Amino acid sequence: MALCGIGWSPSVESVEVVYFSGNLSTRLIRQSPMRLTGKNSYLNQRQYWGVRCSSASKAVSPMESEENAQSALLGSMEEELKHVTRFKISDFKILDCVSIGLGGRADELIFEAMVKDTKSPLYNTRVVLRRHNSAQAQRRGKRAIEVLKKLVHRRLMYHSYSMQVHGYIASPTSSGRCSFTLVHGYHGSFSLRHWLQQSDWLPTLEATLVLDEESVRRVGDDTVGGPAVTRQLRLIRLLMRDLLIGVNYLHSHGLAHTELRLENVHISPVDRHIKVGILGNAADFYEKGPNSSALDNNLDRRLMMIAFDMRCVGFMMAKMVLRELMDPLIFTKFKSFLTKGKDPSCLREFLLKILSRNSPSGNIGFQILDRNWGAGWNLLSLLLATKPSKRISCLDALRHPFLCGPRWRVVPSMDIIRWGLGSTAVRITEEYIYGQPQRSRLAHFIELMEMLNPHSKPKNWLELMPGKWRLLYCTGRHIGLTLRQPPARVLIGDVHLIVSRASKLNTNLSFTSNIGFTVMSGRDWPHAKTGTNGNLQVDSLFKLTAGRRLYLKEEKTTGRFTLGPSNIQDSLAKKLSGRKWRKAIPFKEFPSSLPVAKLASGDIEVTMSLGNPLTQDVDTARNVVQEVRTQLPPEMFDLTKFVCGTYVDSRLLVLRGVNGSALLFTRSCVDETNR
């Protein structure tokens, strides 16, 4: 009996689909006497037709051996992927649209289709056909089906948080290979990145997630930074929580996604869940091995993969909140900051100089991250931590205050309390409204930070203190111009304290106070802050030792007094005993002393540089130095007045002067070349 087939093959990349008259497995067993192979294409490519005939003789022809090999290949593939449905191309109606938002690669072709097989449970359902051309692409497609097999016992969770895989289409080709097309769910043509790039993304996403008008109306008021900021914060919380639940589902089943990005995440309008993309590159945590150390290797592998996924989630969160990071150039600077090993806790200081804040209500992303005592910056720093072991897990992130609104009461950890105190102090200094209430509040927050100092030993200071610090505030002096009529009008710029360690073998530190300023001349200086630039630099060496800071209370019998006003100490003690701080502060009463890092300084060296024509006038230079000393805390001009350090972490530093005043610094990670 003769076996005939009619087919075509494109000349560039073969896109071949096979129509079968019956089920493939039945044809292989019963040896169907006739098979019609129609090779069709949904691409506009140059093609040619051919007719192949073979006779059923006892001798095995090369064509038959090739077909036998293809049949064996298809049979082994069907056995391997039997837990999903094998489709035929005739089951689908190819639609004339391409899903551009499904993250296709160069070796993949993606089309939308409609299931037209009336016997299929997916009848009249829109699906996506992902044709894998290269061998590597086919491995990704088969891997996505293997992952489904591992998660099939919890199919509901898989379908809720991942893109559903319905099955595959496999057919032999004239080249001897087997073509492979993955059939997976359709959740719209937009990825999350496409959503965020729309001009009306906020109301559209709210409508997609079925957030009714009443709930939208109640999230904010009409004041500055009200509804827009609050609505975006609520939407980001919903998206992040859904994403973390889906990623945690994978991690709890021993899998890492490894390709988490905005392009691979979709939002389903049906069940209103985040869907992570096809799990074609999902990696197993555990590798089987005969070695006794396999358990330790698996643990390290698991931690590294989870940390990698969490870093990707951090990038996604940063882009969702800070829309400027969608710009590739700005995101490159953002990523470069992290790849250089800079601490992510200093991201706010770094991004302040890069992102635009010219809108009437300020940068909305900054307002979102600044809310709730800067909880958003804390979560972002934990997701993007430099050391993988320091990155937060999905479950801990779901319990983070930034993602838990008023309905979820969470008990903040001591790290969150420290972070909130420091963030609030920085926000107050940025407002630059130094009335008595603000000054008292800042002094109060600095006192609380000193009590909760996590690094009290000198060895911790030797590791954390080196770097560049920007002066924010001084409790003893108002920094900047006042209503005085100075002999020289000097505008103070950034004041930095640069700390360096010459050798790891000793405890000596080098302090450099770098003060930039502008000498304004002429009558238009109130309106045009321009003039001659200058720089003042003070250098000194310090030795770091352990010490104590004493809090001396007033003695009524002897008439002795404290180093500072007694009413401030009593007020602070009263606040600490209140219900608001009782759970946060681990002190039942005001401590009499606190451990500090004692600073013993040597000689200082002062140098100043001024531009022309001020360099020619000695009296003017003298007046400039005097004005700089008047506007700045004396500790920045005379470093020997620093006596101890009372608080240090990766982003904030508090130093105390000989007169008891506290100087608050923030770590400066700004690269001047990127500005």
Side-chain angles (χ1 to χ4, degrees):
M1 183 180 293
L3 179 65
C4 298
I6 300 176
W8 68 273
S9 176
S11 59
V12 190
E13 268 287 328
S14 69
V15 181
E16 301 174 82
V17 185
V18 178
Y19 289 88
F20 294 103
S21 59
N23 183 272
L24 177 62
S25 59
T26 303
R27 180 182 62 79
L28 289 174
I29 297 173
R30 296 184 180 178
Q31 296 293 327
S32 177
M34 181 172 289
R35 183 186 62 182
L36 179 63
T37 307
K39 299 178 183 176
N40 198 359
S41 172
Y42 36 81
L43 294 180
N44 240 344
Q45 297 184 0
R46 186 161 55 90
Q47 56 192 14
Y48 68 91
W49 290 85
V51 179
R52 298 195 307 268
C53 293
S54 61
S55 61
S57 59
K58 292 184 179 180
V60 180
S61 65
M63 184 68 69
E64 273 190 317
S65 61
E66 179 182 341
E67 289 185 355
N68 291 337
Q70 291 176 347
S71 299
L73 179 61
L74 292 174
S76 61
M77 181 185 298
E78 190 174 61
E79 179 66 24
E80 182 183 356
L81 308 178
K82 63 181 179 180
H83 59 283
V84 294
T85 305
R86 180 178 178 183
F87 293 94
K88 299 175 293 184
I89 193 60
S90 59
D91 296 337
F92 304 99
K93 176 186 177 183
I94 306 298
L95 303 180
D96 56 350
C97 51
V98 180
S99 294
I100 60 174
L102 292 177
R105 300 170 183 258
D107 53 359
E108 295 179 358
L109 296 174
I110 302 174
F111 291 90
E112 297 178 20
M114 191 76 69
V115 180
K116 65 179 184 178
D117 183 11
T118 56
K119 297 180 181 179
S120 173
L122 298 173
Y123 174 67
N124 227 11
T125 302
R126 186 185 291 247
V127 296
V128 177
L129 303 181
R130 185 182 293 261
R131 168 66 189 267
H132 299 280
N133 293 324
S134 66
Q136 183 179 6
Q138 291 187 15
R139 283 196 295 270
R140 289 197 302 268
K142 295 174 184 177
R143 176 59 178 167
I145 297 178
E146 291 176 8
V147 171
L148 175 61
K149 185 177 182 180
K150 292 186 176 184
L151 305 176
V152 71
H153 63 286
R154 295 194 65 185
R155 190 182 294 268
L156 181 61
M157 281 288 292
Y158 175 81
H159 292 170
S160 296
Y161 296 101
S162 184
M163 195 173 291
Q164 185 174 356
V165 176
H166 300 300
Y168 67 99
I169 303 170
S171 60
T173 65
S174 59
S175 61
R177 293 188 303 147
C178 180
S179 70
F180 187 85
T181 302
L182 195 67
V183 182
H184 62 80
Y186 173 82
H187 302 292
S189 296
F190 278 177
S191 66
L192 185 54
R193 181 181 183 87
H194 291 83
W195 280 110
L196 296 177
Q197 287 176 335
Q198 303 301 308
S199 58
D200 58 345
W201 69 276
L202 183 58
T204 308
L205 268 182
E206 287 176 340
T208 304
L209 298 174
V210 196
L211 304 179
D212 55 7
E213 294 181 2
E214 178 65 19
S215 63
V216 172
R217 184 183 64 81
R218 292 166 56 187
V219 297
D221 52 26
D222 295 329
T223 59
V224 174
V229 176
T230 308
R231 285 169 65 186
Q232 288 192 33
L233 174 58
R234 189 170 86 114
L235 193 61
I236 288 169
R237 278 176 174 167
L238 290 173
L239 297 176
M240 283 295 298
R241 290 186 66 85
D242 224 31
L243 176 63
L244 287 168
I245 291 173
V247 175
N248 181 68
Y249 167 64
L250 291 177
H251 290 174
S252 62
H253 286 77
L255 293 167
H257 190 283
T258 73
E259 279 191 322
L260 289 169
R261 56 180 186 269
L262 293 179
E263 293 81 0
N264 284 342
V265 172
H266 298 76
I267 300 176
S268 173
V270 179
D271 58 4
R272 304 185 299 279
H273 275 309
I274 285 284
K275 308 288 185 181
V276 295
I278 297 299
L279 302 174
N281 271 357
D284 291 306
F285 289 158
Y286 310 108
E287 290 181 337
K288 297 179 181 179
N291 299 331
S292 59
S293 61
L295 185 61
D296 295 335
N297 293 336
N298 287 335
L299 180 60
D300 294 340
R301 177 185 173 88
R302 176 178 180 273
L303 294 177
M304 289 295 295
M305 287 186 174
I306 289 178
F308 182 80
D309 272 358
M310 299 313 295
R311 187 171 185 261
C312 295
V313 172
F315 285 141
M316 295 173 67
M317 174 184 165
K319 289 183 177 180
M320 280 192 281
V321 179
L322 302 166
R323 303 286 303 284
E324 296 87 349
L325 294 179
M326 301 288 281
D327 184 346
L329 294 178
I330 297 180
F331 184 72
T332 300
K333 296 179 182 179
F334 173 81
K335 201 169 182 179
S336 175
F337 172 84
L338 299 172
T339 54
K340 289 179 180 178
K342 301 294 182 64
D343 199 313
S345 62
C346 305
L347 268 173
R348 190 179 187 276
E349 173 76 10
F350 172 74
L351 293 175
L352 271 174
K353 302 293 185 180
I354 295 179
L355 303 187
S356 172
R357 307 188 70 193
N358 296 327
S359 58
S361 59
N363 187 292
I364 292 181
F366 269 78
Q367 293 187 44
I368 291 174
L369 297 174
D370 283 339
R371 286 197 172 187
N372 197 12
W373 294 41
W377 295 108
N378 181 261
L379 177 58
L380 196 59
S381 67
L382 293 175
L383 289 170
L384 300 174
T386 305
K387 295 182 179 179
S389 59
K390 300 294 184 181
R391 290 178 197 152
I392 193 171
S393 65
C394 287
L395 290 178
D396 291 336
L398 287 168
R399 291 190 287 260
H400 195 275
F402 178 72
L403 298 181
C404 296
R407 294 185 179 181
W408 293 285
R409 296 282 183 180
V410 294
V411 178
S413 64
M414 191 57 62
D415 290 335
I416 294 292
I417 293 172
R418 292 190 191 99
W419 184 282
L421 290 171
S423 297
T424 307
V426 172
R427 289 291 310 282
I428 296 174
T429 63
E430 288 178 350
E431 296 297 333
Y432 208 74
I433 303 174
Y434 293 156
Q436 188 57 40
Q438 288 85 355
R439 297 184 68 85
S440 299
R441 195 179 184 197
L442 268 171
H444 173 55
F445 278 5
I446 292 175
E447 290 278 356
L448 292 179
M449 290 169 58
E450 290 174 330
M451 291 183 191
L452 302 179
N453 181 24
H455 307 291
S456 57
K457 297 181 179 179
K459 64 177 183 179
N460 303 130
W461 284 74
L462 290 172
E463 297 174 0
L464 291 170
M465 199 171 184
K468 189 176 183 180
W469 302 88
R470 182 168 66 91
L471 178 64
L472 291 178
Y473 183 75
C474 176
T475 59
R477 176 168 298 188
H478 181 92
I479 305 173
L481 292 172
T482 60
L483 298 178
R484 297 177 296 105
Q485 293 294 327
R489 297 182 179 93
V490 178
L491 181 65
I492 302 295
D494 286 339
V495 180
H496 290 105
L497 180 67
I498 303 171
V499 182
S500 58
R501 188 177 178 185
S503 173
K504 294 184 178 181
L505 301 178
N506 54 45
T507 60
N508 292 335
L509 295 173
S510 173
F511 280 32
T512 301
S513 174
N514 196 307
I515 304 163
F517 57 87
T518 301
V519 182
M520 299 176 292
S521 58
R523 297 181 179 180
D524 295 334
W525 67 268
H527 308 287
K529 299 294 188 292
T530 59
T532 305
N533 295 328
N535 182 271
L536 185 66
Q537 183 171 309
V538 184
D539 299 291
S540 181
L541 287 176
F542 282 82
K543 186 176 182 180
L544 194 66
T545 58
R548 306 286 296 182
R549 183 187 173 210
L550 302 179
Y551 289 85
L552 303 177
K553 296 183 179 180
E554 181 179 354
E555 299 290 344
K556 295 183 180 180
T557 56
T558 61
R560 290 181 296 173
F561 294 88
T562 64
L563 294 176
S566 61
N567 58 344
I568 296 179
Q569 307 289 349
D570 295 339
S571 174
L572 182 59
K574 185 177 180 181
K575 289 181 180 179
L576 290 177
S577 61
R579 185 174 60 181
K580 182 179 180 181
W581 298 102
R582 192 176 301 163
K583 294 181 179 180
I585 307 301
F587 297 109
K588 294 183 179 179
E589 61 181 9
F590 195 74
S592 60
S593 64
L594 290 175
V596 298
K598 188 177 179 181
L599 299 171
S601 67
D603 297 334
I604 65 171
E605 181 181 350
V606 182
T607 57
M608 186 180 72
S609 60
L610 279 174
N612 291 322
L614 298 181
T615 54
Q616 309 298 327
D617 192 343
V618 178
D619 293 335
T620 302
R622 185 185 303 110
N623 293 334
V624 168
V625 173
Q626 183 60 36
E627 183 62 23
V628 170
R629 296 195 63 175
T630 303
Q631 293 190 34
L632 284 180
E635 292 83 0
M636 297 304 298
F637 189 84
D638 186 359
L639 295 177
T640 59
K641 294 184 180 295
F642 281 123
V643 293
C644 65
T646 55
Y647 182 89
V648 67
D649 62 16
S650 57
R651 63 186 183 127
L652 294 176
L653 170 70
V654 177
L655 300 179
R656 287 278 179 176
V658 68
N659 60 356
S661 60
L663 279 75
L664 176 63
F665 297 86
T666 182
R667 190 183 295 275
S668 178
C669 295
V670 179
D671 189 356
E672 300 295 334
T673 59
N674 289 335
R675 293 179 58 178

